[in-house]
Amino acid sequence: VHALPRQYGLHRPLRRVLPLLIIHHFVVTAMKFLRLIPAACLLLSAVACEENSTIGSSIIQDKVDIIIDSTFTISGYSVANPVIQSRTDNQLLGNIDAKGFGKLSSDFITQFMPATTLDTVGVTVESIDSIKLRMFMNEGALIGDSIIPMGLEVYKLNRGLTSPIYSDFDPTPYYSEQDKVASTTYSATVIGLPDSIAGIYTGAKARVVDVKLPVEMGREFYRKYKSDPEIYNDPVKFSQWFPGLYIKNSFGSGRVMRFYSTLMYLYYKKDTKVNDKDTTINTLKAFLAVTPEVINNNNINMALSQEVKTMAASSPMLVAPTGYDVEVKLPIRDMVEKYSKQDNSFTVINSMTLEVPVEEVTNNYDIEPPAYVLLVRKDKKEEFFADQQINDNISSFYAAYDATRKSYNFSSMRQYFLEMSKKDNIAAADGEFVLVPVSLVTESTQTGYYQYETVVVAIVPYVDTPAMAKVNVDKAKIKLTFSRQSM
């Protein structure tokens, strides 16, 4: 104030008094402020008790970043898989010689699950007039020519089957040429079927192979039920009495078919009353079936072409139903170490994913990549299939083939990373996995009105029409995504 010049209109006397006035003003203001402190403290205390308060957010600013680390790489190579354990009720029948793939033939040997009851009211053993083996195939569930005629033969087993049983099973000791009960010529079309049957299967998008068995065989099943009905309630005892059938190729080539259901039907006449009148009606009953509960094995013989063998020697290859798997090494140790170096921050794992691109291999049968693959720890593969496990997303994962992206995307690997991050020492086996073609067994459950949910109940080795793909592990993308909060 003393430095203020005269031109500002302050005369010297006022200039001398002004400092005192300013000091007085600040003292009075300070005293008023001190009187307000207790009330302010009470207000501050009340605010601090409110959990949703944002007081202080302008003082301490936190920052959340979403980090996607895709700098990791995986390695892999082909490994021969000449034998699989056939834990499925699918049956493969036929043979092909595909350029760019190789030769594949398959027949099957199977037990049957019996129905618990047979119709006995108004039915005698003489009422049985025929018996048929009927094999169902979804439309398109084949490789090769659907029209070309091929032949099959059916043999009755003379010995019981035991498990485990594998795709290289030799059925020779279990039947003889004298055990043949039927033979027929078949195709994968409705040509040659009765119009009534052809219409049903065409509408259902299914195909069927009918094999007529000896009528005396049907009467034998009926007599056994009449004399010992309890045996039909015990699949083990039933298989001891009737070990099953062996169905094999007899002639022709150029097609492999996959049957999703195989049943045995009993055709008979039944005496009954209709409108109080004695009437005889013709009826049928499916009384035997191939189910997951009985032993069913596809005897597969694969001879891969030299082109496939050469390619597999230099590039990872998936070939199924038997042929090649791919062993891969995941960089889990490097991933955990890099993640652990996030200092002075709070982090949360969001996801871990792996996308594996593949290429279709040129061949003259349009053989495509398998519909599903399993990624399972190498040291747990045999246990996984032997115990009929499903994926736990820690040591095993499955993915569907994405035909648009031409890849398999494993999107649920977060728990695997979390388990590895808890370990004091990550072993080499923790990152060693095998990529295996598989088939899914699903069930549909109703979750609401007109709402259904499909649930995977089993993952089994791939037993289907041939599949093949080159796996580009060098282009695989493994991503770790996490949120990082810093203060």
Side-chain angles (χ1 to χ4, degrees):
V1 174
H2 285 284
L4 290 175
R6 286 181 178 271
Q7 58 263 33
Y8 278 77
L10 291 178
H11 298 286
R12 183 171 297 274
L14 180 60
R15 290 166 57 204
R16 291 177 179 176
V17 175
L18 188 57
L20 295 177
L21 294 175
I22 293 174
I23 291 173
H24 174 73
H25 169 74
F26 278 110
V27 170
V28 172
T29 303
M31 291 179 67
K32 292 180 180 179
F33 176 74
L34 290 174
R35 286 197 300 269
L36 293 175
I37 286 178
C41 288
L42 290 174
L43 178 61
L44 181 61
S45 175
V47 171
C49 292
E50 175 58 52
E51 293 182 359
N52 296 324
S53 172
T54 57
I55 295 295
S57 62
S58 61
I59 300 174
I60 302 176
Q61 294 289 339
D62 53 4
K63 180 182 179 183
V64 177
D65 297 317
I66 304 298
I67 310 299
I68 301 176
D69 194 339
S70 58
T71 60
F72 307 102
T73 58
I74 72 170
S75 57
Y77 57 91
S78 303
V79 56
N81 182 31
V83 177
I84 59 174
Q85 188 173 358
S86 181
R87 304 298 291 268
T88 175
D89 55 352
N90 289 337
Q91 298 94 43
L92 291 183
L93 185 66
N95 63 80
I96 60 170
D97 185 356
K99 184 178 180 181
F101 177 77
K103 297 180 180 180
L104 169 69
S105 65
S106 178
D107 49 41
F108 63 95
I109 191 167
T110 184
Q111 296 175 338
F112 285 84
M113 175 69 74
T116 56
T117 60
L118 289 182
D119 196 353
T120 60
V121 178
V123 180
T124 66
V125 70
E126 287 76 22
S127 302
I128 310 300
D129 57 23
S130 63
I131 180 174
K132 283 186 178 181
L133 178 72
R134 185 166 287 170
M135 298 177 288
F136 297 87
M137 180 195 79
N138 285 323
E139 185 180 27
L142 61 86
I143 285 287
D145 191 331
S146 64
I147 300 177
I148 186 172
M150 295 178 65
L152 64 80
E153 296 175 337
V154 180
Y155 293 84
K156 187 176 178 180
L157 301 184
N158 54 35
R159 289 177 53 188
L161 300 172
T162 58
S163 59
I165 190 169
Y166 297 89
S167 59
D168 60 350
F169 178 78
D170 179 11
T172 304
Y174 293 82
Y175 80 103
S176 70
E177 292 296 327
Q178 288 71 39
D179 297 323
K180 184 168 75 172
V181 293
S183 63
T184 192
T185 300
Y186 69 101
S187 68
T189 70
V190 296
I191 298 174
L193 292 177
D195 291 340
S196 58
I197 297 177
I200 294 173
Y201 297 135
T202 302
K205 299 296 183 181
R207 298 292 181 264
V208 64
V209 174
D210 264 351
V211 186
K212 189 172 183 178
L213 303 176
V215 64
E216 186 54 36
M217 190 174 176
R219 291 173 177 172
E220 184 181 0
F221 283 117
Y222 189 82
R223 290 190 192 98
K224 188 63 179 177
Y225 179 80
K226 289 283 287 186
S227 63
D228 187 11
E230 289 303 316
I231 199 172
Y232 277 70
N233 291 318
D234 191 331
V236 175
K237 289 183 179 180
F238 184 83
S239 66
Q240 292 170 352
W241 174 72
F242 177 66
L245 296 177
Y246 171 46
I247 294 91
K248 74 169 188 174
N249 301 297
S250 59
F251 69 85
S253 64
R255 180 176 64 246
V256 174
M257 302 170 64
R258 184 202 61 182
F259 300 109
Y260 68 86
S261 179
T262 296
L263 303 171
M264 205 175 292
Y265 286 84
L266 204 59
Y267 292 76
Y268 57 94
K269 293 179 173 61
K270 179 179 175 66
D271 295 329
T272 185
K273 285 185 178 293
V274 177
N275 297 327
D276 294 328
K277 293 182 179 181
D278 292 336
T279 305
T280 299
I281 60 174
N282 295 318
T283 187
L284 63 89
K285 180 179 180 63
F287 72 107
L288 296 180
V290 177
T291 69
E293 291 81 10
V294 300
I295 297 175
N296 169 62
N297 190 69
N298 294 278
N299 312 310
I300 299 171
N301 185 6
M302 176 88 85
L304 295 175
S305 68
Q306 187 56 50
E307 297 98 315
V308 172
K309 292 179 180 179
T310 300
M311 191 179 300
S314 58
S315 303
M317 289 281 294
L318 287 174
V319 182
T322 60
Y324 289 107
D325 295 338
V326 174
E327 290 191 5
V328 297
K329 186 175 182 180
L330 304 183
I332 188 62
R333 184 181 296 167
D334 296 339
M335 296 176 71
V336 171
E337 287 180 356
K338 188 172 182 180
Y339 171 74
S340 300
K341 292 180 180 179
Q342 304 294 320
D343 297 328
N344 300 321
S345 60
F346 177 75
T347 57
V348 175
I349 297 296
N350 295 345
S351 67
M352 175 179 167
T353 63
L354 171 63
E355 184 177 18
V356 182
V358 299
E359 293 179 26
E360 297 182 6
V361 181
T362 302
N363 62 89
N364 64 339
Y365 271 78
D366 295 326
I367 297 173
E368 299 178 343
Y372 297 94
V373 293
L374 176 75
L375 184 67
V376 61
R377 273 185 59 141
K378 179 181 176 180
D379 57 0
K380 295 184 180 294
K381 175 189 170 185
E382 296 303 321
E383 173 187 342
F384 182 93
F385 292 120
D387 296 343
Q388 293 184 291
Q389 299 177 17
I390 60 174
N391 59 299
D392 60 8
N393 291 337
I394 298 176
S395 62
S396 56
F397 320 83
Y398 79 86
Y401 178 59
D402 185 335
T404 302
R405 295 181 61 86
K406 297 188 181 301
S407 66
Y408 299 96
N409 186 23
F410 299 91
S411 58
S412 301
M413 302 184 73
R414 176 178 180 270
Q415 194 59 39
Y416 164 64
F417 184 87
L418 292 177
E419 292 295 321
M420 293 299 103
S421 65
K422 296 175 186 176
K423 299 186 68 170
D424 295 330
N425 180 36
I426 298 176
D430 292 325
E432 294 174 348
F433 283 76
V434 185
L435 203 60
V436 187
V438 293
S439 299
L440 303 186
V441 181
T442 61
E443 289 182 357
S444 228
T445 58
Q446 189 167 3
T447 58
Y449 195 66
Y450 292 125
Q451 292 181 338
Y452 292 86
E453 180 182 7
T454 301
V455 180
V456 176
V457 296
I459 300 176
V460 298
Y462 183 92
V463 180
D464 209 321
T465 53
M468 176 173 58
K470 178 184 175 183
V471 182
N472 295 323
V473 292
D474 56 327
K475 297 180 181 179
K477 297 178 182 178
I478 188 166
K479 294 180 181 180
L480 183 66
T481 304
F482 58 92
S483 302
R484 182 175 62 192
Q485 183 183 42
S486 56
M487 305 295 286

